[in-house]
Amino acid sequence: MHYFDNAATTKPDAEVLDTFNKVNEKYYFNTASLHRAGRNSEKLLEASRKQVLDIFGLKNHHCVFTSGATESNNIAIQSTLNRKKKFGSTILVSQLEHPSVINVVDYYKSEGFNVKFIKTTDYGKVDLNHLRTLMNDEVIFVTVMAVNNIVGTVQPVEEIAEILKEYPKAHFHVDATQAVGKADINYKDVDTLSISAHKFHGIKGAGALIMKELKSMSPVFYGGGHEENIRSGTVNLPAIAAMAKALRLSHEHTNDTFSRIDGYNRSVRNALADYRSIVIQPSDTPHILNMSYVGAKGEVVVNALSEKNIMVSTTSACASKLATLNETLTAMGQSVDVINGSIRVSMSKDTEENDVNMLIKGLKEVYEEIGDVLI
Ligand code: PMP
């Protein structure tokens, strides 16, 4: 199988699985238990927390472990808005966000919040000039992802943080789910940051919400008070320790992986350069390559490739069952034909040259097979 859906999820690393299994065998205790076994498990939990913060260079921040980015985004948004509603009512959200941000913000819109979308440039980045015009003292929350999951553009997180310094009431949330191991971003001025282990070769069901100030967060569901009373529930220590390991490995290999995948990305672009009906979007992270078979349906291309044992996705796995046009491509001003015919090819450190050769072969064959519908 040639797997090109790494933006949906990655294969857990062998070393990560090893950590997961060992912790399950030796530290399966409840980290909240007072006995020695519980305390030892808690030590491992705290060591994992420290490691996560150290890797991000955020030693003085706080880290709450969650089940993944959907939960982290929900806690960040719900908790902050519940607390800040007395100070203002405007939320600024980029048009590029994942449903786990957009749909939460949508709920708050129905509750009377004033939701404004920050425009996108044709290249797929947040328009900073538009952001500047939207900023005022009513803004209490700004949310922009770090790396877009559809086209792979890196968003100007540091510049946004700089703009927001003049507006101390505005909380800055960053969904960094697709950025880990792909983009080197300084998050020191970000108020809350979401990550998810399964996007960087960790285990599904583990993630984190990293925050500047603990006291600015409150629980969105209530329970026994674990994780600083922000995220109650028995802690998933094996998956958390495995996530810390996965984070370290992906951090160490960022540069090697980047240059290798950059080469693959160029090969695909070059191989398809003369194909009149294929439009390839620009991307900053070579891991994500969004291309359209203009005139065809993305699902048809995905299924045809799948028959050849090549796994790619249409827009994103989470949104692929929704029959709406892709928001990111719409925000970039792409035509309906380009959006309908789009597929996402996403690579990771596990992608090898042979996979890329098979992908190129498969993409060309599908072009010939469906040529009659292409524009
Ligand atoms: N944000 C982005 C940008 C994503 O790509 C995803 C995963 N598709 C999520 C959030 C949700 O992550 P999780 O699966 O950990 O809930």
Side-chain angles (χ1 to χ4, degrees):
M1 197 242 288
H2 307 285
Y3 184 64
F4 287 94
D5 198 14
N6 288 278
T9 199
T10 53
K11 183 178 176 192
D13 212 270
E15 281 185 67
V16 170
L17 275 177
D18 192 44
T19 300
F20 180 70
N21 289 332
K22 283 199 176 121
V23 176
N24 259 323
E25 275 166 26
K26 297 199 175 124
Y27 294 91
Y28 58 85
F29 313 101
N30 194 321
T31 56
S33 292
L34 287 182
H35 49 69
R36 199 180 66 236
R39 286 200 313 272
N40 284 341
S41 299
E42 196 198 0
K43 270 189 201 148
L44 181 58
L45 176 68
E46 293 315 316
S48 304
R49 202 184 311 280
K50 183 173 180 309
Q51 190 173 6
V52 169
L53 290 173
D54 284 354
I55 290 169
F56 278 100
L58 299 171
K59 285 188 198 322
N60 295 324
H61 281 54
H62 305 271
C63 168
V64 163
F65 291 116
T66 65
S67 64
T70 298
E71 187 185 334
S72 298
N73 287 337
N74 268 270
I75 295 176
I77 300 170
Q78 296 191 39
S79 160
T80 310
L81 292 182
N82 291 348
R83 191 176 50 84
K84 286 206 163 210
K85 58 183 174 226
K86 48 186 178 295
F87 302 115
S89 63
T90 304
I91 306 169
L92 303 186
V93 51
S94 93
Q95 296 170 311
L96 304 165
E97 299 305 287
H98 185 264
S100 59
V101 168
I102 293 278
N103 291 342
V104 190
V105 168
D106 236 27
Y107 164 76
Y108 281 93
K109 188 175 175 194
S110 73
E111 289 287 292
F113 281 83
N114 180 17
V115 174
K116 292 185 180 164
F117 283 93
I118 315 161
K119 282 188 191 149
T120 313
T121 65
D122 294 348
Y123 185 81
K125 293 211 192 224
V126 161
D127 182 339
L128 291 177
N129 286 332
H130 189 232
L131 171 66
R132 285 190 191 94
T133 65
L134 292 176
M135 285 309 301
N136 60 45
D137 287 339
E138 267 294 300
V139 177
I140 50 170
F141 198 83
V142 178
T143 177
V144 178
M145 68 193 350
V147 168
N148 177 262
N149 53 318
I150 307 295
V151 293
T153 43
V154 178
Q155 301 304 318
V157 168
E158 291 154 43
E159 286 96 322
I160 295 172
E162 210 44 51
I163 294 171
L164 297 193
K165 276 186 184 160
E166 284 177 40
Y167 302 89
K169 251 177 19 186
H171 177 109
F172 184 24
H173 175 65
V174 173
D175 175 1
T177 308
Q178 295 287 351
V180 176
K182 296 180 191 142
D184 188 17
I185 297 172
N186 187 337
Y187 298 106
K188 74 176 171 36
D189 295 317
V190 166
D191 292 301
T192 44
L193 184 77
S194 301
I195 62 165
S196 178
H198 74 98
K199 304 285 183 179
F200 50 91
H201 307 279
I203 309 282
K204 288 162 193 63
L209 180 65
I210 296 174
M211 62 201 76
K212 227 190 213 167
E213 284 179 44
L214 206 53
K215 66 175 183 344
S216 68
M217 291 287 122
S218 52
V220 298
F221 53 83
Y222 294 84
H226 308 74
E227 294 295 285
E228 305 285 357
N229 199 27
I230 293 169
R231 203 275 184 178
S232 281
T234 302
V235 170
N236 185 358
L237 183 60
I240 289 168
M243 173 166 71
K245 173 67 131 310
L247 190 60
R248 182 171 64 72
L249 293 174
S250 70
H251 190 74
E252 280 169 10
H253 297 139
T254 299
N255 290 342
D256 305 349
T257 309
F258 194 98
S259 53
R260 195 164 50 86
I261 293 182
D262 197 40
Y264 297 158
N265 184 309
R266 281 168 209 271
S267 304
V268 178
R269 285 177 192 273
N270 290 341
L272 301 176
D274 294 334
Y275 284 68
R276 204 175 41 88
S277 302
I278 294 184
V279 171
I280 306 184
Q281 303 297 339
S283 64
D284 302 320
T285 48
H287 307 67
I288 296 181
L289 224 162
N290 191 299
M291 65 176 82
S292 303
Y293 281 61
V294 184
K297 288 221 173 309
E299 301 93 280
V300 172
V301 180
V302 169
N303 287 331
L305 288 169
S306 180
E307 288 298 309
K308 299 175 194 296
N309 231 3
I310 299 166
M311 310 301 150
V312 305
S313 71
T314 45
T315 53
S316 73
C318 319
S320 60
K321 297 212 168 60
L322 305 175
T324 51
L325 284 182
N326 182 268
E327 284 92 350
T328 294
L329 295 171
T330 305
M332 287 166 66
Q334 295 294 322
S335 71
V336 172
D337 286 330
V338 167
I339 299 172
N340 278 335
S342 74
I343 62 166
R344 179 184 68 183
V345 170
S346 49
M347 300 183 260
S348 77
K349 69 168 183 54
D350 292 339
T351 310
E352 291 178 357
E353 199 171 339
N354 173 47
D355 297 313
V356 179
N357 292 338
M358 294 309 286
L359 172 72
I360 292 171
K361 184 168 171 283
L363 289 167
K364 288 180 176 177
E365 284 171 7
V366 172
Y367 191 90
E368 302 305 328
E369 283 162 24
I370 61 171
D372 49 334
V373 299
L374 297 174
I375 295 171

